[in-house]
């Protein structure tokens, strides 16, 4: 029997859906149903271990899983809490689940900025990262460790400020809080331990990471097609974001038009399209690219 690569993933929550979607885009076929801890990938020797996100770094470190997908915030927190004894490190950044760990307080309270923190209480579920920030900045404040609902701490008067994850800021706003300092920026990351994998697992992991790389690159990459007056081709191709050598095809018809086709590796904004149009480009099409391998 071949060795199966075991990937620890969040079972349910803000990371889960995007993690499953990424693996599906990499061609893994599986279904997550019911309350099972393990899901088998049907077409590759991979098993998915479905757990709470907080357990992912230690599962990877302790060999319960070979790799994991987790928020960088959770990895850094677990590292700090274990005093850097956790054998798990970032192998690849994944670009989704972006959020920030921020200090926030009531608009009208006594803490308005980091310089007001000394002698106050900060509620957080991230004592490791918050504690590191405080000691690096020589701030003497008390940490109130909570398991959840941190945003309620100021209103029930157990802390003057909080340190919590923020993405849009809507939760803070709904609780009358304003962020005044970012102490960590986070995104989903693929983590692994320093342990050597069997040759079999190592091959599967290489293949998976190559596919992830392809998925991440193709997400931004677009195929642009347009018609342009011959005289404007140079200016138009200069405007195409991150394209090397566009294909230029002469078109029949009375006008002196060419078709330009190019792979653009950077985001194509509406402004770019408007710029192309101003230069005389017409019939502009921007197409998604499903898969890429170079
Ligand atoms: P679990 O039950 O697995 O412990 P959880 O409640 O700790 O779940 P979620 O709220 O699902 O965790 O968040 C998981 C991760 O998603 C966070 O650690 C963070 O990396 C990321 N994330 C992205 N946006 C946000 C956000 N707005 N708020 C909180 N986390 C976010
Ligand atoms: Zn969690």
């Amino acid at each position: 029997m071949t060795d199966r690569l075991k990937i620890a993933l969040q079972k349910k929550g803000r990371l889960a859906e995007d993690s499953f979607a990424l693996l599906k885009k990499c061609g893994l076929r599986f279904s997550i149903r019911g309350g099972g801890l393990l899901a088998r990938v049907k077409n590759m020797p991979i098993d998915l271990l479905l757990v709470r996100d907080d357990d992912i770094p230690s599962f990877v470190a302790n060999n319960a899983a070979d790799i994991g997908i987790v928020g960088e915030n959770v990895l850094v927190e677990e590292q700090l809490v274990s005093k850097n004894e956790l054998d798990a490190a970032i192998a690849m950044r994944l670009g989704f689940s972006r959020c920030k760990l921020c200090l926030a307080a009531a608009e009208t309270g006594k803490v308005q900025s980091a310089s007001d923190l000394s002698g106050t209480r900060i509620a957080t579920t991230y004592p490791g990262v918050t504690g590191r920030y405080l000691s690096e900045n020589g701030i003497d404040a008390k940490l109130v460790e909570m398991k959840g609902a941190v945003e309620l701490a100021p209103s029930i008067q157990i802390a003057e400020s909080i340190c919590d994850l923020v993405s849009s800021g809507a939760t803070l706003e709904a609780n009358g809080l304003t962020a005044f300092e970012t102490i960590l920026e986070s995104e989903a990351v693929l983590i692994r331990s320093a342990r050597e994998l069997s040759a079999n697992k190592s091959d599967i992991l290489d293949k998976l990471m190559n596919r992830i790389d392809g998925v991440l690159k193709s997400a931004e990459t677009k195929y642009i097609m347009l018609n342009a007056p011959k005289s404007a081709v140079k200016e138009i191709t200069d405007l195409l974001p991150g394209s090397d050598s566009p294909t230029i095809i002469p078109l029949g018809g009375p006008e002196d038009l060419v078709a330009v086709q190019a792979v653009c590796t950077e985001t194509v904004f509406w402004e770019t399209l408007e710029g192309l149009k101003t230069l005389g480009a017409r019939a502009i099409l921007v197409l998604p690219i499903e898969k890429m391998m170079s």
Side-chain angles (χ1 to χ4, degrees):
M1 217 182 93
T2 45
D3 255 350
R4 299 177 70 83
L5 184 78
K6 200 178 274 184
I7 312 180
L9 299 171
Q10 190 191 31
K11 186 188 190 78
K12 214 170 116 214
R14 288 184 156 110
L15 274 172
E17 292 309 319
D18 287 348
S19 304
F20 301 150
L22 174 66
L23 296 180
K24 290 203 161 150
K25 282 191 201 144
C26 291
L28 278 64
R29 283 181 24 229
F30 56 88
S31 70
I32 309 286
R33 265 198 228 111
L37 181 67
L38 213 62
R40 230 176 133 81
V41 174
K42 294 177 190 122
N43 57 339
M44 281 173 85
I46 296 177
D47 286 332
L48 309 178
L49 185 67
L50 305 166
V51 293
R52 289 200 53 181
D53 68 341
D54 317 71
D55 291 330
I56 294 176
S58 66
F59 280 3
V60 169
N62 297 323
N63 210 7
D66 299 303
I67 61 169
I69 294 181
V70 72
E72 195 176 353
N73 54 309
V74 170
L75 175 70
V76 175
E77 178 66 22
E78 298 299 314
Q79 284 291 9
L80 289 169
V81 171
S82 75
K83 306 211 172 6
N84 284 321
E85 292 198 344
L86 201 72
D87 176 16
I90 298 178
M92 200 171 186
R93 303 189 157 272
L94 302 175
F96 62 87
S97 280
R98 285 186 193 277
C99 55
K100 298 188 282 192
L101 193 60
C102 292
L103 284 160
E107 279 125 52
T108 51
K110 76 183 230 192
V111 174
Q112 292 297 306
S113 72
S115 57
D116 304 326
L117 287 171
S118 281
T120 65
R121 298 162 301 173
I122 307 171
T124 187
T125 51
Y126 292 87
V129 186
T130 314
R132 178 177 71 175
Y133 168 84
L134 295 178
S135 61
E136 280 177 359
N137 290 280
I139 299 168
D140 181 20
K142 186 170 178 288
L143 290 181
V144 178
E145 207 177 321
M146 293 176 74
K147 294 288 176 210
V150 169
E151 64 281 358
L152 302 178
S155 62
I156 55 174
Q157 294 172 4
I158 57 172
E160 285 70 35
S161 66
I162 67 168
C163 188
D164 203 9
L165 285 179
V166 180
S167 52
S168 70
T171 311
L172 288 184
E173 203 178 313
N175 287 281
L177 302 171
T178 310
F180 57 82
E181 182 98 355
T182 298
I183 70 168
L184 184 83
E185 300 212 7
S186 176
E187 65 187 279
V189 290
L190 188 118
I191 60 169
R192 65 169 294 178
S193 77
R195 264 189 328 274
E196 209 173 309
L197 294 175
S198 67
N200 241 328
K201 285 188 180 183
S202 187
D203 285 350
I204 308 165
L205 180 57
D206 282 350
K207 191 184 243 186
L208 179 65
M209 285 177 57
N210 267 322
R211 290 189 185 185
I212 292 178
D213 200 48
V215 170
L216 298 182
K217 284 204 184 111
S218 66
E220 289 233 309
T221 304
K222 301 281 183 248
Y223 197 75
I224 289 203
M225 308 205 297
L226 55 85
N227 292 345
K230 227 179 202 165
S231 57
V233 165
K234 169 86 177 67
E235 279 178 296
I236 283 178
T237 51
D238 283 350
L239 203 63
L240 296 174
S243 76
D244 285 342
S245 41
T247 308
I248 312 225
I249 311 158
L251 291 177
E255 291 170 88
D256 217 3
L257 284 181
V258 291
V260 177
Q261 302 184 0
V263 173
C264 293
T265 55
E266 290 159 30
T267 312
V268 180
F269 296 105
W270 280 110
E271 288 74 8
T272 312
L273 301 189
E274 286 152 4
L276 292 169
K277 193 172 170 194
T278 309
L279 291 171
R282 291 293 178 269
I284 309 170
L285 294 180
V286 181
L287 310 175
I289 289 179
E290 196 179 283
K291 293 187 178 68
M292 276 179 59
M293 193 173 282
S294 43

